[in-house]
Amino acid sequence: MSAAPQKTKAGAEKIDVTVSAVVPLNELVTRFEFRRTDGRPFPPFSAGAHTVVEMNDDGRTRLNPYSLMSDPADTSTYAISVRRDDQGRGGSLYLHTHVGVGDRLTLSYPVNLFPLDLRGRKHVFLAGGIGITPFMAMIAHLDRMGGAWELHYACRSKALGTYAEDLMQAHPTRAHVYYDDQNQRIALEDLLDGQPLGTHVYVCGPKGMIDWVHTTAAAHGWPDENVHSEEFLAPQPGTPFEVYLSRSDITIQVGESESLLEAIERCGVDAPFLCRGGACGQCETDVVEAEGTFEHRDHWLDDDEHASGKKIMPCVSRFDGKKLVLDR
Amino acid sequence: MTIQFNEETFRDDYSFRNSDWAIRRFPFPFHEDSYMYSVNMEQHQGGPEESVYEKRFDVDEHYVAEMQDRALVLAEDPLRCQSLPHMTLAGWDTLELIMVSKSEDSPDLFELHRDGDRWRWINKPMGIDHTFTFLDETTLPCGPLEYITRQAQGDFAVLDQRGDMLYMDAGMVTTQADWSLDFDIGMDFFEWHAPVPLANEMGIFKRALKFLLNVRQGSPARRLNWTMTVNPLLDTSPENYHKWGVQKSSLTPANIGAKQHLRVELQTFYRLPRSNGLLFPIRCYLIAFQDLVTIPKWGRRLHRVVRDLPEELADYKGFIANRPLMLDYLGQYDDGLPTSPGVWPDLETEPPLQT
């Protein structure tokens, strides 16, 4: 129709925030709390949602997604908990080493790719390490709404058990913590066996844990729709490569520690995105021509699409070869 | 401007009328001289002043009368408003979105005063001043979705999003173009669209679903849809087809200008923040042919669109039997001159009808 046509920038609707607290939780994890710079309340969000944090790292824009872990009903504050990744491309390191109280950042509106199934009569949460963060918001939400839940949380050690002590203290019968260094393991099969009809299971953690939960639940006859997972993929560094963007008619270089999407943005080409983690499908891009090998790392395209060489998700996937032309 | 609310009916004596203001701001849906389906979505971030796109929820001269008509429909058939048990939070989301938007966009008509969870809502046109506790259903006379949509023009479908699919799990539907909430409740996106011809083969629904799943908080979207209605009926439901279906055969060359209406839906899409559901308001605008042809560009264009529309679409939209009569009438307002691109009336630049 284009009644009143408007070009809205991809990834528009951002929120300017000021860091209101920086709370180191242990050797690796720090919580960052934000207030809106304009003093207004934040929009409410649904438990499980993430925000994309925009950082200006010495002229270079970094965009990293983090689960919102504050109470969704508290519109005065948004909080994220960030695990320092010394091997990563630097977003978490930047937050840990450069961002302090009073600093300004930009957040995207919340996006939820890991929502609660509101039909659930009971919710069982399985967390591994920093995967605890979305469950912090879910627990706050269910406590307010009177929902039934239990948490099983595996972490490396007491010292690295982010929020583990707090959770056990606040919810002694519902929160269960397992320490790897004490050889404690989640008894998943027993756990899945004893659940009432209408229970939903949610897992957030390393890929191995997610696969383990899906496989075990399926083997125990759980319907797929009742098992939910979220794995944030961080773009991995890789060999630099060159891409020709046919619609924009420019050739760009993708550096070792930036994603293809970041390189496209750096060169001033407007590209859609949402999760920046290979899950939402928003940045799907058509391949016009390719001589080489794709390194597909997304969850969005199916195996056939990966094999076809006709599509790529530039937020996490890369390319190794002589020539790549994208419709962008 | 201050709105004068009409005293009018959408049934029996059909006293519904559009003022000149309402005619000029009518959301004419055809941006060119022909029509075919498309995923014609755009951002819903305002629009030209006084247009129906300007505010998040447009309030016009028909507001009070439309709410009276909705109350009559609900009194006869309470199943026009339903909400599956897991959709109560989405109902509160809807109430919050509408109250906040209306009080910010039309402060002369609506006020919202919030003190924590204690909310006071003032709706001046309907004479409501109510204090309640947010998220506490016992403080409202009915569920949150029903409460607020008895005070908001248009139908509301509330969709739950689960596993890359949308489900019609709640709604308030009294001004619909021949579909039934009671029939569709609980259906997924492809199931409730199954009756629409051609579009599925064109891959429209797959693309539309992908778009809708990605509608973001803070970035609502909109599109237009249209059909034809004989007499200014809001409630053209399957439940009442026996009452309104027969009226389609009451058209004559003498009465068609007054009786035949173009019916346009302004559909908007909002991500609901607390429930992660999707709110789909469907706002119905009606205009009599005789009023529409007072805009020369629209008269020319509507004739060409109706004339060239594929059979399947004219049949699906329910006017294939009346198409010859419509073309005889509309043909009088098409002098063959070219029309300017876009939907606006362009009264200053488009030539008057040449006779």
Side-chain angles (χ1 to χ4, degrees), chain B residues 234-266:
Chain B
L234 284 177
D235 176 26
T236 52
S237 58
E239 285 89 343
N240 281 330
Y241 187 79
H242 58 289
K243 295 182 193 162
W244 60 268
V246 290
Q247 297 179 25
K248 291 200 279 185
S249 55
S250 67
L251 281 190
T252 66
N255 68 20
I256 185 170
K259 268 181 174 288
Q260 181 64 58
H261 289 69
L262 175 64
R263 180 189 196 99
V264 173
E265 293 175 352
L266 171 58

Side-chain angles (χ1 to χ4, degrees), chain B residues 8-74:
Chain B
E8 59 190 0
T9 57
F10 302 86
R11 54 182 70 213
D12 306 324
D13 62 343
Y14 298 113
S15 60
F16 164 86
R17 291 292 176 274
N18 279 310
S19 67
D20 288 344
W21 174 72
I23 293 171
R24 278 195 306 275
R25 73 195 295 275
F26 186 81
F28 189 72
F30 307 111
H31 62 91
E32 57 187 7
D33 286 356
S34 64
Y35 171 80
M36 195 50 202
Y37 293 130
S38 62
V39 186
N40 50 347
M41 300 277 191
E42 66 182 15
Q43 292 290 314
H44 183 44
Q45 304 279 16
E49 211 179 315
E50 300 263 314
S51 76
V52 302
Y53 312 105
E54 181 189 7
K55 293 168 179 171
R56 284 169 280 186
F57 295 91
D58 181 44
V59 177
D60 67 9
E61 64 193 31
H62 308 298
Y63 176 52
V64 175
E66 284 189 28
M67 293 302 96
Q68 286 163 352
D69 195 72
R70 164 156 293 162
L72 292 174
V73 174
L74 287 168

